[in-house]
Amino acid sequence: METRRIDHVVVVTPDAEGAAATFRRHFELAPSAPVVGSPALRIGGARIAFAHPADGSALAAILARSGEGMAEICLEVGSLPEAEASLRTAGIGFTVEAKGAARALAVDPGAAHGVRLTLIEGRAA
Amino acid sequence: MLSKIHHVGVVVRDLEQAYGFWRDVLGLPVMVVKTVVDQDVTAALLKVGESEIELLQPLSDRSGIGKFLAKRGEGLHHLCFETDDVDAELAATKAKGIRVIDEKPRLGLAGMICFLHPAATRGVLVEYAQPLAEERH
């Protein structure tokens, strides 16, 4: 698998706009295009997204269990079909999810050492 | 000035086992492996574009990482921003009244580092790192 870069990390919070404002003020980061409707800030070639997750979602469960904090990392791969094949070959579970208009592979956190990890091909703003 | 995500820290139970996913499946090359004795942790930095994934294996359950693993299990631990002047960045942070863990930068795996208090940053444990000149990747 060719994994190219960190596209974004997701901070779960009950107050997405407030959390984005906190990070903008503390770290002087510039706003970027939203990530799947969530406010986001740019740092280098990556983004930090602040998500108030929908009830019943995996991120909502993380917020309820652990409180505000970093909950997901999204990596860009060269080819999603190749990534899918690599995961299948390695016997790693995943689900196919929509990330905005694009497809994403959500890797089984058990295989990713407790990390909620999504893989995308190119930008999925 | 903060320039990029230097790394994302991930706590794992066993570094060698973790390589099976992060290195062998995702294809991320291991750049550095070091044991930080005073923190009771062995850490590996795996390159991903301009950033890295830092895998942290505690060497005892008394260390901060060991306590994290015992309480929360494996998973995301911290977010590290790179700066070219960690002293100035930390001073500016403190001048804004932002609560910090480290009053002064110290030597860590990623260079000269310091941590901010997650209570000030929406539950995210934030680290600043100024890589040493000979260790820039």
Side-chain angles (χ1 to χ4, degrees):
Chain A
M1 187 187 311
E2 180 200 3
T3 305
R4 292 179 171 169
R5 65 186 186 86
I6 297 173
D7 184 86
H8 63 269
V9 298
V10 177
V11 175
V12 288
T13 169
D15 175 15
E17 292 293 344
T22 298
F23 270 63
R24 193 166 58 235
R25 190 170 57 247
H26 282 12
F27 304 118
E28 298 174 12
L29 304 180
S32 83
V35 175
V36 198
S38 295
L41 303 174
R42 175 163 302 289
I43 178 159
R47 295 174 291 174
I48 304 171
F50 301 87
H52 180 189
D55 289 347
S57 66
L59 288 178
I62 293 172
L63 180 61
R65 186 175 63 243
S66 304
E68 276 187 309
M70 186 167 54
E72 179 181 318
I73 180 169
C74 178
L75 303 179
E76 181 184 302
V77 297
S79 161
L80 213 55
E82 284 179 16
E84 197 169 332
S86 295
L87 293 173
R88 285 190 200 285
T89 300
I92 291 171
F94 61 92
T95 56
V96 180
E97 297 184 350
K99 196 94 170 170
R103 287 170 72 236
L105 305 180
V107 178
D108 172 13
H113 301 272
V115 175
R116 181 172 160 79
L117 171 68
T118 55
L119 305 175
I120 59 164
E121 184 181 282
R123 283 273 189 230
Chain B
M1 178 184 168
L2 303 174
S3 56
K4 65 177 184 177
I5 293 176
H6 182 277
H7 66 262
V8 176
V10 175
V11 173
V12 300
R13 206 170 300 282
D14 183 285
L15 210 46
E16 287 298 327
Q17 189 187 46
Y19 288 158
F21 176 72
W22 296 93
R23 180 190 63 193
D24 300 340
V25 177
L26 293 183
L28 307 182
V30 177
M31 307 303 289
V32 183
V33 182
K34 274 187 188 171
T35 294
V36 184
V37 176
D38 64 347
Q39 293 176 40
D40 255 1
V41 67
T42 297
L45 288 171
L46 288 73
K47 192 162 185 60
V48 54
E50 67 179 11
S51 303
E52 289 165 331
I53 300 294
E54 184 181 62
L55 301 177
L56 298 154
Q57 178 194 328
L59 301 177
S60 80
D61 54 10
R62 297 180 305 277
S63 65
I65 299 297
K67 288 175 183 168
F68 178 96
L69 181 64
K71 184 177 177 187
R72 302 179 66 161
E74 293 183 308
L76 291 168
H77 183 260
H78 69 270
L79 177 62
C80 179
F81 299 138
E82 181 168 323
T83 173
D84 58 5
D85 189 341
V86 70
D87 291 286
E89 205 65 56
L90 181 58
T93 297
K94 289 160 69 175
K96 289 177 184 172
I98 299 167
R99 191 172 165 195
V100 300
I101 293 175
D102 295 305
E103 289 294 329
K104 292 192 301 186
R106 57 187 167 85
L107 188 61
L109 183 66
M112 292 306 292
I113 64 157
C114 63
F115 282 92
L116 313 190
H117 199 288
T121 49
R122 298 289 181 154
V124 180
L125 179 58
V126 172
E127 177 184 10
Y128 294 155
Q130 179 182 345
L132 303 179
E134 68 272 22
E135 290 186 353
R136 285 184 187 275
H137 303 138

